[in-house]
Amino acid sequence: NLCLLFFQSVTIVCYSESFAFIYKYCTIYFYLLWPLPQQLHQSADRGCLSPQRFSFTYGRDSAAQTGCSVLDAAFKRYFSIIFPDFTKGSGLLMCENQSNRLSVKTGGCDGYPDEDSDESYNLSVSEGQAVLRSVTVWGALRGLESFSQLVYQDDYGSYFINKTEIVDFPRFAFRGLLLDTSRHYLPLHAILKTLDAMAYSKFNVFHWHIVDDPSFPYQSRTFPDLSNKGAFHPFTHIYTQSDVMRVIEHARMRGIRVVPEFDSPGHTQSWGKGQPGLLTPCYKGGVPSGSFGPVDPTIDTTYKFMESLLKEVKFVFPDSYVHLGGDEVSFACWQSNPNVRKFMEKMGFGKDFTKLESFYMESIMNMTAALNRTSIVWQDVFDYHERIPQDTVLEIWKGEKYQAELSRMTQAGHRVLLSAPWYINHISYGQDWRNSYAVQPQNFSGTEEQKKLVIGGEVAMWGEYVDATNLTPRLWPRACAAAERLWSNEEKTLNADLAFPRLEEFRCELLRRGIQAEPLFVGHCKHEYDGL
Amino acid sequence: MYCLLKLAPLFLAVAVCNGWLFGDFVGKQKEQDEISLWPLPQKFQSSAVAFKLSPASFQIVHAKQSSAGPSCGLLENAFRRYELHSPLFTFEPVLLYDSDLVELQVWVTSADPECDGFPSLQTDESYELSIDEPSAVLKAANVWGALRGLETFSQLVYEDYYGVNNINKTDISDFPRFAHRGILLDSSRHFLPLKVILANLEAMAMNKFNVFHWHIVDDQSFPYMSRTFPELSQKGAYHPFTHVYTPSDVKMVIEFARMRGIRVIPEFDTPGHTESWGNGQLDLLTPCYSGSSPSGTFGPVNPILNSSYDFMTQFFKEISTVFPDAYIHLGGDEVDFRCWESNPDIQKFMAQQGFGTDYSKLESFYIQRTQSKGYMVWQEVFDNGVKLKDDTVVEVWMGNKMEEELQNVTRAGFTTILSAPWYLDYISYGQDWQHYYKVEPLSFPGTDAQKKLVIGGEACLWGEYVDATNLTPRLWPRASAVAERLWSDKSVTDVGNAYNRLVQHRCRMVKRGIPAEPLFVGHCRQEYKGL
């Protein structure tokens, strides 16, 4: 009996991993899902999957049918993920079972995922048939990912899946990952690869920190000089409009939102090159020193420029959120400039430059609101001036005391994103994913209402020391820890030791799918990475 | 104007015009390109006179007087490699132009060029390079020096803003400060596919490293496929077919390294760090006891059985035929004595030998009986007072009291190499290469004679958290800092200057296909294309 054989082989596999505890959990999780679904029931009964007979079909009562771009593409993608050897000829043993079908019952083939997208799904795998039910295509994508993680191959190359019932939904609606394409330019394929891996971990927001001090790679239609003069190179180190569209479409196909960040008034050195008059001229001893500071908040042209730029951003990026930055503004240059000082006086700001920054940010946020977009800003903006538009989303990035900050912000009624504990560009020796995993985003003093205002979090991979050479292994599987924290039930996933074998397995799965994910500790994968 | 004559796409014309307009800026950039040699040569003189190198007409040839000719496969191979390495053929030739410099003559001066030999600890790697019209000349005693010179030559070539390859009038006289400049890779904690090892040998050559210390087996796995004891890898590797180094793999590594003037020193660490050996070689390891009965677990190699020594003799006989280098690394580090202590037979043996309860004496006893040809050992072997042969190389790896250890080892008259400050598997945020760069290996108190015994050092990338996915960017360019410390003159210590050169050097590695990670914010003209 084929199936008996299979079970023996699982047992052996478990023993051979010199970790005794894996064996224990093998009996519970035959299939190591990441992130862990909210409710999971698996039985020892399994069925074979035949690549020849397997198919994805739309349920008869499904609102989405063939022609739904997102799911048609997802079927194609997941077929080769599930059956990697299919094109190379299948396993020795033919599956004698009935035909397999995955039936998808879903509704609404929306354009883009958004903050309210329902990502929940139910997956029921029974004899010969699996049914995936979801309200939206985005939920269907999450379910397809889980389904693909349930399928495994035995040593003879045959594919199996166990009887499984999954009821799943994300704990947080906003599960983001930040890439910084300014400090180092990231080639398009590095970004697309990251989006692939994000989908495997059920991340759903790509926070694109697209420009900053060092370079301006975004090619603007309205202000082409910004990248012509502000990019590392005006032709090889930029994102054209079609590049950006490709990123957005690649992300959409995976149920991922693209939220761009145009950080101002600080972090804008590279803007100044292509937009003369935008930045504040710094003074030294009564004369301009030749260097420039943050955006000049005292002149009308600045606001006109920002309005045009934000209009373009609205046009190019479909997401309803825009990140406006607002962090780490150095006041020294403003202070040195006599025009800025005059403006301060006129406005009655005294010597408090935080008021000037708030004045600027408020204008930009109002502009954004007028464009029907939700602003995200870094915590600095709130720290300077607590009375900011209520629907602004605040992002916490400062490491110390983020719990207190969560309390204050939610008390003020703001929605909050947490990224402070997930700055994974900071590296150290050993298994630092455990620190990310131990984070409890709602563990702060506040009411239930306040806790609900935490809409999610973000993993941040800042670019000081990262480019295409090391991005992927530095990101994966370290980012997976936050992915599970943001998706799964915290009570079921607090123990990092229990998560370890599952994550180890998942990183091997990432490797098999062509993601260059680094090891967690000593050991090996069946399919090692075969690049450099 | 020059730029107007070109039928190049518009953007090129613009760039060229800018070049004229902002002459100063371009000049600055160029200067930075020109001085990006890594590691910095011992003597270096360069003038602003630049010669053009045309892909069509420039070639690397054997000098008439050279003892090496077209039959020297090693050099022929290197010539081809460096023609490809230099930007000569990697950039689309937009412009046709004549070469000012038509050839690089490679002149090997000693009677035996050592084309078919292997580099050794005694190898002379010095070379002289003179770049002038119409021919450049590279002079070296043997092929090994010629290889170092070819690498330097390739680093001298730069592309100007018109896409033309240039090289400045230059005279270089160069030699390494230390003879042993190594990289340790650990293929036991994670298996490293052959491709990764070869790519890193390539990167080593770009940095003038000359020893690949192959920590090939350890507790976790035994990927070395032994002809004498095939069960070692059959049962000790992570997978007996996909996670092993076959004899032909090993041969390929050795030959690939030889072609680049790199020695391959394998490490077969015993008596500790041998768990994986026990899977395929029964009774080799010491059975640990719990109370009065065997616990089922095993400790270090069992040093009281003749069979252990018979095995080792046979095994190391194979190793010394497979690996041509005069040295083998015998390990000897971190032996955990608890298992030996628990075993009643070993207790009995200790009493018989009069070792008392000093288990380091038992370790000494073991090491002395397994000594083979030239060997290297980790510092504990010396610390534990094992009687060592005179030509033993002691590797200092412990970070605390490193200077004291160097003092002691050299006072006892042993040659030594330093790896303690260069454990590159320890990562941290930021530019840690600067720490590696600032190390001065000879700063310990001691006589000149003692200092001469420090023959070099090694950058170690242990494998707990490293495999094919992250090895190369984690190693480079961090190891480059060690490369310069071991090659260049003691006085080359300016971190700012090193930074500027290293930024260029890492872009050069990226251009040559090595995913070397960035030092800090910035960009390379050609970013990494892999993934």
Side-chain angles (χ1 to χ4, degrees):
Chain A
N1 180 309
L2 183 65
C3 299
L4 251 169
L5 251 177
F6 163 70
F7 272 110
Q8 284 166 355
S9 72
V10 162
T11 315
I12 290 159
V13 168
C14 295
Y15 274 124
S16 74
E17 303 282 343
S18 53
F19 297 97
F21 54 88
I22 294 184
Y23 172 64
K24 220 163 72 200
Y25 291 96
C26 272
T27 56
I28 298 168
Y29 302 117
F30 288 101
Y31 329 104
L32 303 168
L33 291 157
W34 194 279
L36 196 68
Q38 301 284 348
Q39 292 173 37
L40 168 69
H41 298 284
Q42 292 180 300
S43 99
D45 298 338
R46 83 253 126 259
C48 306
L49 273 81
S50 158
Q52 282 81 7
R53 298 193 195 170
F54 180 85
S55 70
F56 294 107
T57 58
Y58 290 94
R60 226 169 296 148
D61 51 347
S62 168
Q65 294 294 341
T66 307
C68 175
S69 58
V70 172
L71 288 184
D72 287 348
F75 290 170
K76 187 175 167 188
R77 216 163 52 234
Y78 279 105
F79 191 89
S80 32
I81 284 175
I82 293 168
F83 304 112
D85 306 333
F86 184 57
T87 47
K88 298 177 222 151
S90 64
L92 291 172
L93 289 175
M94 287 295 291
C95 212
E96 297 300 333
N97 278 18
Q98 57 292 317
S99 72
N100 321 99
R101 265 163 17 105
L102 176 64
S103 200
V104 180
K105 303 191 176 189
T106 179
C109 196
D110 304 325
Y112 293 92
D114 63 30
E115 54 183 318
D116 301 318
S117 291
D118 183 341
E119 294 174 285
S120 65
Y121 67 92
N122 290 0
L123 178 61
S124 160
V125 181
S126 56
E127 208 142 315
Q129 178 147 317
V131 179
L132 172 61
R133 282 192 185 78
S134 67
V135 181
T136 66
V137 290
W138 318 118
L141 288 176
R142 305 293 167 249
L144 281 169
E145 175 55 40
S146 295
F147 178 79
S148 75
Q149 293 184 17
L150 287 172
V151 179
Y152 53 91
Q153 259 181 301
D154 70 2
D155 285 345
Y156 306 99
S158 297
Y159 298 94
F160 294 89
I161 188 164
N162 279 45
K163 257 191 185 172
T164 307
E165 296 290 332
I166 291 177
V167 175
D168 203 9
F169 52 87
R171 178 181 173 200
F172 293 106
F174 193 114
R175 304 178 309 282
L177 186 148
L178 177 151
L179 291 185
D180 168 2
T181 56
S182 172
R183 292 182 174 84
H184 284 98
Y185 176 78
L186 298 174
L188 202 60
H189 64 98
I191 295 177
L192 302 182
K193 202 73 160 176
T194 304
L195 290 168
D196 292 349
M198 284 172 68
Y200 302 151
S201 302
K202 296 190 171 72
F203 277 107
N204 70 348
V205 181
F206 169 38
H207 174 170
W208 194 350
H209 188 85
I210 192 166
V211 299
D212 204 301
D213 283 329
S215 77
F216 197 104
Y218 172 74
Q219 190 174 43
S220 160
R221 3 171 125 214
T222 327
F223 305 102
D225 269 354
L226 287 170
S227 66
N228 276 343
K229 301 197 172 151
F232 283 131
H233 187 283
F235 298 103
T236 59
H237 287 62
I238 57 164
Y239 303 105
T240 64
Q241 289 292 314
S242 84
D243 289 342
V244 172
M245 272 165 60
R246 233 180 115 189
V247 168
I248 293 169
E249 183 61 7
H250 197 89
R252 183 181 87 88
M253 286 293 178
R254 286 153 184 81
I256 296 171
R257 301 160 56 191
V258 177
V259 175
E261 176 179 355
F262 286 85
D263 191 353
S264 72
H267 289 283
T268 46
Q269 285 290 307
S270 68
W271 304 38
K273 293 179 184 160
Q275 189 63 22
L278 178 67
L279 303 187
T280 311
C282 312
Y283 278 64
K284 204 175 173 181
V287 288
S289 70
S291 65
F292 294 88
V295 163
D296 189 341
T298 68
I299 48 179
D300 285 345
T301 51
T302 294
Y303 297 98
K304 284 197 185 111
F305 166 80
M306 286 305 294
E307 193 169 14
S308 312
L309 183 68
L310 287 172
K311 268 186 188 152
E312 173 177 332
V313 169
K314 174 189 164 121
F315 181 76
V316 174
F317 294 90
D319 201 82
S320 64
Y321 283 33
V322 178
H323 204 303
L324 298 176
D327 60 319
E328 297 186 307
V329 182
S330 156
F331 297 141
C333 184
W334 279 348
Q335 227 156 4
S336 78
N337 183 303
N339 297 329
V340 174
R341 287 201 303 265
K342 211 177 290 165
F343 185 80
M344 293 279 289
E345 215 167 287
K346 197 179 99 191
M347 302 298 290
F349 293 162
K351 293 209 178 326
D352 186 355
F353 284 89
T354 65
K355 285 188 175 149
L356 182 57
E357 159 157 23
S358 297
F359 171 81
Y360 170 82
M361 287 309 293
E362 213 170 307
S363 315
I364 303 295
M365 287 187 283
N366 288 338
M367 250 177 232
T368 309
L371 292 169
N372 216 359
R373 288 287 188 263
T374 303
S375 307
I376 310 179
V377 293
W378 295 108
Q379 71 178 91
D380 313 42
V381 179
F382 173 79
D383 294 347
Y384 287 149
H385 190 53
E386 298 206 2
R387 290 218 316 273
I388 52 178
Q390 189 81 52
D391 69 334
T392 308
V393 177
L394 305 174
E395 180 159 13
I396 298 178
W397 66 274
K398 292 185 179 174
E400 325 87 54
K401 301 179 190 156
Y402 67 80
Q403 284 93 347
E405 187 79 358
L406 279 165
S407 289
R408 287 205 310 131
M409 287 174 170
T410 52
Q411 196 160 21
H414 284 288
R415 286 171 295 170
V416 182
L417 285 171
L418 184 62
S419 70
W422 291 314
Y423 264 38
I424 66 172
N425 55 308
H426 292 284
I427 52 168
S428 58
Y429 184 71
Q431 299 194 32
D432 56 2
W433 69 273
R434 289 170 185 265
N435 304 334
S436 297
Y437 199 70
V439 173
Q440 296 177 281
Q442 285 167 320
N443 187 14
F444 60 90
S445 61
T447 62
E448 280 311 301
E449 284 310 302
Q450 275 177 266
K451 311 242 161 143
K452 276 189 196 141
L453 288 170
V454 180
I455 59 169
E458 287 196 329
V459 164
M461 181 55 79
W462 296 99
E464 280 86 349
Y465 300 101
V466 177
D467 72 2
T469 61
N470 59 354
L471 172 76
T472 311
R474 195 162 286 197
L475 203 45
W476 310 105
R478 292 167 72 229
C480 300
E484 178 149 297
R485 181 56 57 245
L486 292 169
W487 178 280
S488 308
N489 183 321
E490 192 171 285
E491 317 232 297
K492 292 182 189 169
T493 54
L494 266 182
N495 188 327
D497 290 334
L498 294 187
F500 180 80
R502 208 158 34 87
L503 186 54
E504 223 180 14
E505 191 88 347
F506 184 59
R507 100 100 183 170
C508 287
E509 178 61 20
L510 288 175
L511 274 192
R512 193 179 67 93
R513 298 182 184 194
I515 304 296
Q516 189 184 346
E518 68 177 21
L520 294 173
F521 194 52
V522 297
H524 77 291
C525 295
K526 196 170 162 195
H527 304 277
E528 300 287 0
Y529 181 66
D530 72 347
L532 276 192
Chain B
M1 227 161 107
Y2 186 62
C3 62
L4 299 177
L5 302 174
K6 299 304 150 214
L7 290 171
L10 183 65
F11 71 84
L12 181 80
V14 170
V16 169
C17 292
N18 278 343
W20 283 107
L21 290 173
F22 304 105
D24 276 355
F25 170 72
V26 174
K28 234 187 242 162
Q29 289 288 103
K30 245 170 72 179
E31 198 176 33
Q32 214 177 37
D33 275 350
E34 284 162 36
I35 55 160
S36 69
L37 292 176
W38 195 278
L40 200 69
Q42 301 281 349
K43 286 174 201 153
F44 171 78
Q45 239 186 351
S46 175
S47 87
V49 180
F51 308 126
K52 291 200 288 281
L53 284 166
S54 158
S57 52
F58 174 79
Q59 48 184 345
I60 305 175
V61 297
H62 297 280
K64 278 202 198 76
Q65 316 92 312
S66 179
S67 60
S71 65
C72 183
L74 186 142
L75 279 187
E76 288 292 318
N77 189 307
F79 290 178
R80 272 202 299 280
R81 218 163 53 233
Y82 280 105
E83 274 172 354
L84 291 171
H85 264 180
S86 64
L88 298 184
F89 297 119
T90 55
F91 211 70
E92 251 178 85
V94 187
L95 315 165
L96 284 177
Y97 53 91
D98 292 328
S99 261
D100 298 327
L101 194 70
V102 294
E103 59 182 18
L104 169 66
Q105 296 184 0
V106 178
W107 178 7
V108 176
T109 56
S110 67
D112 177 11
E114 299 180 39
C115 288
D116 302 313
F118 287 91
S120 73
L121 185 55
Q122 286 75 34
T123 289
D124 176 4
E125 292 174 286
S126 65
Y127 66 91
E128 279 168 32
L129 184 59
S130 153
I131 315 288
D132 207 344
E133 263 181 310
S135 311
V137 178
L138 167 61
K139 208 167 137 185
N142 53 50
V143 293
W144 315 116
L147 287 174
R148 304 292 167 248
L150 281 168
E151 175 57 35
T152 303
F153 178 81
S154 78
Q155 295 189 5
L156 285 169
V157 179
Y158 61 94
E159 210 174 84
D160 67 15
Y161 274 61
Y162 316 101
V164 172
N165 293 302
N166 278 271
I167 191 163
N168 283 20
K169 186 169 165 13
T170 307
D171 278 298
I172 289 176
S173 169
D174 202 10
F175 53 88
R177 182 177 172 206
F178 293 103
H180 183 118
R181 305 179 307 283
I183 293 279
L184 176 148
L185 297 183
D186 168 1
S187 60
S188 171
R189 292 183 174 88
H190 286 98
F191 178 77
L192 301 175
L194 204 58
K195 194 169 159 184
V196 172
I197 294 178
L198 300 185
N200 280 281
L201 287 168
E202 195 78 82
M204 284 171 67
M206 293 175 200
N207 289 275
K208 296 192 170 70
F209 275 106
N210 68 351
V211 178
F212 170 36
H213 175 166
W214 195 352
H215 188 85
I216 191 166
V217 300
D218 204 301
D219 283 332
Q220 287 77 8
S221 76
F222 197 103
Y224 172 78
M225 197 188 269
S226 162
R227 275 177 281 206
T228 327
F229 302 100
E231 298 236 302
L232 287 170
S233 65
Q234 265 162 30
K235 301 200 170 148
Y238 282 130
H239 187 284
F241 298 106
T242 59
H243 288 61
V244 293
Y245 302 107
T246 65
S248 82
D249 290 341
V250 172
K251 227 184 209 163
M252 194 191 270
V253 168
I254 293 168
E255 181 61 5
F256 197 90
R258 186 185 83 85
M259 286 290 189
R260 285 151 186 82
I262 296 169
R263 301 161 58 198
V264 178
I265 298 181
E267 176 178 353
F268 288 89
D269 192 353
T270 68
H273 287 282
T274 46
E275 273 205 41
S276 70
W277 302 48
N279 297 334
Q281 188 64 22
L282 298 180
D283 300 331
L284 178 66
L285 304 185
T286 310
C288 313
Y289 277 66
S290 170
S292 58
S293 53
S295 69
T297 63
F298 295 88
V301 168
N302 193 335
I304 66 167
L305 299 180
N306 282 332
S307 59
S308 295
Y309 299 100
D310 293 344
F311 166 80
M312 288 296 169
T313 307
Q314 262 185 286
F315 182 74
F316 278 107
K317 206 171 144 195
E318 171 183 328
I319 297 310
S320 53
T321 51
V322 169
F323 292 90
D325 201 84
Y327 284 84
I328 293 173
H329 203 301
L330 298 179
D333 60 318
E334 300 183 310
V335 183
D336 184 349
F337 295 142
R338 279 173 305 180
C339 183
W340 280 349
E341 275 164 10
S342 77
N343 183 304
D345 297 326
I346 293 201
Q347 288 160 14
K348 210 180 293 165
F349 184 82
M350 291 282 288
Q352 272 168 19
Q353 297 285 328
F355 291 165
T357 53
D358 184 357
Y359 284 86
S360 68
K361 285 190 177 145
L362 183 58
E363 185 190 351
S364 299
F365 174 84
Y366 168 81
I367 298 271
Q368 274 171 42
R369 284 194 62 181
T370 46
Q371 291 181 8
S372 59
K373 58 177 181 181
Y375 53 87
M376 296 173 58
V377 290
W378 296 107
Q379 69 178 76
E380 289 100 313
V381 179
F382 169 81
D383 297 345
N384 290 347
V386 176
K387 213 171 148 217
L388 297 165
K389 285 200 291 189
D390 293 343
D391 61 349
T392 303
V393 177
V394 178
E395 182 159 9
V396 175
W397 70 275
M398 289 177 168
N400 60 330
K401 298 184 187 163
M402 169 186 105
E403 297 204 341
E404 203 180 309
E405 182 76 7
L406 283 171
Q407 222 180 326
N408 292 341
V409 172
T410 53
R411 194 187 295 124
F414 289 106
T415 48
T416 180
I417 60 171
L418 185 62
S419 61
W422 294 316
Y423 266 36
L424 268 52
D425 50 319
Y426 291 110
I427 52 169
S428 57
Y429 186 67
Q431 298 197 36
D432 54 3
W433 70 272
Q434 299 189 3
H435 302 295
Y436 309 135
Y437 194 74
K438 286 175 185 161
V439 172
E440 170 44 52
L442 301 187
S443 63
F444 66 93
T447 64
D448 284 352
Q450 271 176 278
K451 308 232 163 156
K452 273 196 191 123
L453 290 169
V454 181
I455 56 166
E458 288 186 346
C460 300
L461 194 64
W462 294 99
E464 279 86 350
Y465 299 101
V466 177
D467 72 0
T469 61
N470 58 356
L471 184 141
T472 312
R474 190 161 290 191
L475 189 56
W476 309 103
R478 293 162 76 228
S480 303
V482 183
E484 180 151 296
R485 183 54 51 240
L486 294 173
W487 177 281
S488 304
D489 189 73
K490 187 181 178 177
S491 64
V492 180
T493 54
D494 182 341
V495 174
N497 174 282
Y499 176 81
N500 290 334
R501 278 184 297 118
L502 193 50
V503 164
Q504 300 286 338
H505 183 55
R506 97 98 187 173
C507 284
R508 179 162 49 224
M509 287 193 272
V510 168
K511 188 174 173 186
R512 294 179 185 184
I514 303 295
E517 67 179 21
L519 292 176
F520 193 55
V521 175
H523 78 292
C524 295
R525 245 201 267 183
Q526 293 176 29
E527 301 287 358
Y528 184 60
K529 292 210 180 61
L531 269 201

